[in-house]
Amino acid sequence: MKTVQFFSALLLMGAIVSVSSCKPTTDSTSSLPAEVEDNFNFIVANDLGRNGYYDQKIIAEQMGETAGEIGIEFVAAAGDIHHFEGVASVNDPLWNTNYEYIYSHPELMLDWYPVLGNHEYRGNTQAVLDYSGVSRRWCMPARYYDKSFEVGDSSSLKVVFIDTAPLIDKYHKESEESYRDVAAQDMEVQLHWIDSVLNASHETWKIVIGHHPVYAQTPKDEIERENLQQRLDPLLRKYGVDMYIAGHIHNFQHIRVPGSDVDYVVNSSASLSRKVSEIEGTQYCSPEPGFSVVSVSDKDLNLYMLDKTGHVLHTVTRTR
């Protein structure tokens, strides 16, 4: 009897592991659909700065090749462009080894719209903004800002770029020792700004991009998600945001939660990735490194998760 109970327990444990593990990736032969070339496209990349190590160079080259194949309007850099202590100034050599010398493909010589990540906050965040005066393609007018674009024949896109670290209590508590620039940021001012921008938005499609996820499976401090669920998520839901795109966790995740029509996306690291498993609401997850392509038309908004070889792993689709 004990032997039967033992093996029954093992089977039960196996079932639990099966439920919590990630869904298998899509067939590795899948590629972006041909109609993407006719859409308004941009790339999302984050957690980049590894001085070219791990998969960073490979992914950077694939980003350039994909950009050349489909045509993109810009790159959204969703934080942690620099590991581990940010940058000291606009002249820090890390600008070359983490960014300029790595993302050198001709098709990536266009506008990059960055947001700050937690690793930027370990250094001089003002230097990250000021680099806009050094690099033609580094376009960061403020710590948080928005852009509007015409897409298709009759549609428009609003992208809101936000600064998530100051919205999380943890970073304020650790500001004196590790994240000194956070202390000067007023979260209420930013939240009021996000509210006003989304309230005034009449665009067809709405995307918000920040470094930290609202929902995600991760061993990182739960307070990060709890604070954003409390402070940011109500605004995403209130104003009908289509997608919230983040990084920080170093893997791909697509999550839907009860009571919300928002697609919550975690974009994988463009260098070093990490393991992941399912949680409640997980539609897809993968530990593969890579980047995403957002493709917008009059009729639909798609986010394609791509691995380091450019193959599509999962697609998040919104339709009108």
Side-chain angles (χ1 to χ4, degrees), residues 9-278:
L10 287 180
L11 288 172
L12 179 57
M13 290 174 63
I16 293 172
V17 172
S18 175
V19 169
S20 64
S21 62
C22 273
K23 296 178 181 179
T25 59
T26 305
D27 187 325
S28 62
T29 61
S30 61
S31 57
L32 290 167
E35 58 266 24
V36 168
E37 296 181 29
D38 299 323
N39 295 345
F40 181 97
N41 303 313
F42 66 92
I43 282 175
V44 182
N46 48 265
D47 300 281
L48 313 173
R50 298 281 177 169
N51 287 302
Y53 283 84
Y54 303 99
D55 290 309
Q56 190 184 10
K57 289 181 180 178
I58 296 170
I59 294 170
E61 186 65 18
Q62 184 59 56
M63 285 169 57
E65 292 181 13
T66 298
E69 291 168 2
I70 65 173
I72 64 169
E73 303 299 323
F74 61 90
V75 175
D80 283 3
I81 293 88
H82 300 285
H83 287 84
F84 292 89
E85 302 297 324
V87 289
S89 70
V90 295
N91 298 313
D92 195 316
L94 288 176
W95 283 108
N96 289 327
T97 58
N98 276 338
Y99 180 60
E100 299 290 358
Y101 296 163
I102 307 300
Y103 301 95
S104 57
H105 195 289
E107 299 295 335
L108 299 178
M109 295 298 157
L110 37 63
D111 291 344
W112 284 57
Y113 297 124
V115 299
L116 296 169
N118 53 297
H119 283 283
E120 274 78 34
Y121 266 102
R122 295 183 71 91
N124 182 350
T125 55
Q126 187 59 48
V128 181
L129 277 73
D130 292 345
Y131 197 67
S132 299
V134 176
S135 171
R136 157 65 183 84
R137 57 180 173 161
W138 193 260
C139 303
M140 193 174 187
R143 293 173 185 270
Y144 42 91
Y145 55 99
D146 65 293
K147 296 287 181 181
S148 296
F149 307 93
E150 296 300 318
V151 300
D153 296 322
S154 58
S155 300
S156 54
L157 168 67
K158 170 71 77 175
V159 184
V160 184
F161 300 88
I162 66 171
D163 185 13
T164 52
L167 303 181
I168 297 170
D169 294 340
K170 162 188 170 180
Y171 295 108
H172 288 275
K173 292 177 181 178
E174 299 177 11
S175 62
E176 187 172 339
E177 61 185 53
S178 300
Y179 305 98
R180 64 182 184 276
D181 289 353
V182 169
Q185 311 311 314
D186 188 329
M187 75 170 70
E188 295 302 328
V189 171
Q190 182 180 181
L191 289 169
H192 177 75
W193 177 86
I194 295 170
D195 191 312
S196 62
V197 167
L198 291 176
N199 183 48
S201 173
H202 300 291
E203 284 80 4
T204 313
W205 308 102
K206 298 182 183 70
I207 295 174
V208 177
I209 298 176
H211 181 64
H212 294 80
V214 175
Y215 297 94
Q217 185 281 320
T218 173
K220 292 180 180 291
D221 293 339
E222 187 65 29
I223 192 65
E224 295 180 5
R225 271 86 60 215
E226 290 177 349
N227 285 165
L228 293 184
Q229 289 165 20
Q230 171 193 3
R231 295 163 179 160
L232 176 62
D233 198 29
L235 299 177
L236 304 180
R237 300 186 189 202
K238 177 180 179 180
Y239 294 112
V241 169
D242 293 286
M243 290 184 189
Y244 176 71
I245 305 173
H248 189 52
I249 311 301
H250 293 229
N251 47 52
F252 285 118
Q253 299 185 51
H254 172 207
I255 296 172
R256 299 274 300 189
V257 299
S260 175
D261 192 42
V262 180
D263 281 292
Y264 302 93
V265 174
V266 178
N267 189 48
S268 190
S269 170
S271 55
L272 179 66
S273 62
R274 298 177 180 138
K275 295 179 180 179
V276 62
S277 58
E278 294 184 22

